[in-house]
Amino acid sequence: KLPMPKIGPKMLMAATVTLALLAVVTAGLLTRKQSTKQFVPQLTTAATTAGISDSFTGGTINSATWTIVGTGVSQVGGELVVASVNSGLRTVATITGDFVADVDTSQGALLFTNAGSTYAQVTRNGTSIISNIGGTSNTYTAPSASVVIPIRIMKVGSNIQTFYQTSGTWNLLGSASTTYTGIGNLELMSTTATANFDNFNAQVNLVGATTPTPGTT
């Protein structure tokens, strides 16, 4: 038989207090774990202050919205038609910060540019829809060259993304982070053949206007 150790009142009290403290700490950790919400990234929109839109109806280009670049630019049958390569329209408004812009086209390019430099471009050329952001290229092949497809450029903070739309849903085509955060203009241009555009819409921040804090992707 082994001798049983003698347990005094002080030792028993110390053990009881220690077990009680462990129980409280354990319960607190479990409660904190259950109540802590896991962070889930949320897709946010560009923080913008002004709208620019044009359905290209009527016989003349809206000079308050657009500057004509090159030749062969006209409005025909409710569309913008550009008959010369490297010609088109550039927004009169100078844009800064976040923006989102889209246009319908079966042939042509939507660009974000400044002083001759192109920072983002999405081009519809036949069945190909090509995104180019800072030298990074991505391509989507459309089922038909004649079907009009909306294309989009969105800038949120230092991130620029391009999209194309199918069945009412915007699909991400290209995405890149750029160090360029300066001003620029939106352009609708013909790149390889006669281009056509319709239903241009943009939400932007204009130089001189109050610019909200850039959104996050």
Side-chain angles (χ1 to χ4, degrees):
K1 293 182 180 181
L2 295 175
M4 295 297 293
K6 294 182 179 180
I7 301 176
K10 291 183 178 180
M11 186 179 294
L12 182 61
M13 180 65 71
T16 302
V17 171
T18 300
L19 290 173
L21 287 174
L22 287 174
V24 170
V25 171
T26 302
L29 290 174
L30 288 173
T31 301
R32 182 178 178 182
K33 183 177 180 180
Q34 291 172 356
S35 63
T36 302
K37 294 182 179 180
Q38 296 297 315
F39 174 73
V40 179
Q42 299 294 319
L43 178 64
T44 61
T45 58
T48 60
T49 57
I52 303 173
S53 63
D54 200 335
S55 58
F56 304 111
T57 56
T60 58
I61 304 296
N62 185 350
S63 60
T65 302
W66 302 105
T67 297
I68 297 175
V69 178
T71 60
V73 183
S74 61
Q75 291 183 179
V76 181
E79 287 187 341
L80 171 67
V81 177
V82 185
S84 300
V85 176
N86 296 327
S87 296
L89 298 180
R90 178 184 298 124
T91 55
V92 171
T94 303
I95 298 164
T96 184
D98 291 0
F99 71 83
V100 56
D102 50 78
V103 68
D104 298 345
T105 184
S106 57
Q107 184 74 31
L110 171 64
L111 304 88
F112 176 57
T113 67
N114 181 51
S117 297
T118 299
Y119 296 99
Q121 177 174 338
V122 55
T123 305
R124 176 76 188 277
N125 184 9
T127 58
S128 297
I129 299 179
I130 306 164
S131 165
N132 195 303
I133 309 171
T136 301
S137 181
N138 299 87
T139 302
Y140 164 73
T141 302
S144 171
S146 60
V147 175
V148 173
I149 294 179
I151 55 178
R152 168 178 283 181
I153 296 176
M154 182 169 72
K155 180 177 181 293
V156 181
S158 61
N159 296 285
I160 297 181
Q161 296 178 318
T162 56
F163 301 82
Y164 64 92
Q165 190 183 90
T166 55
S167 302
T169 300
W170 287 107
N171 306 282
L172 180 64
L173 181 57
S175 182
S177 181
T178 173
T179 57
Y180 180 76
T181 57
I183 62 175
N185 298 84
L186 295 166
E187 296 185 4
L188 303 175
M189 301 292 288
S190 174
T191 55
T192 58
T194 298
N196 63 291
F197 302 93
D198 200 2
N199 302 319
F200 174 85
N201 288 284
Q203 290 296 317
V204 301
N205 296 308
L206 306 179
V207 169
T210 302
T211 304
T213 302
T216 56
T217 54

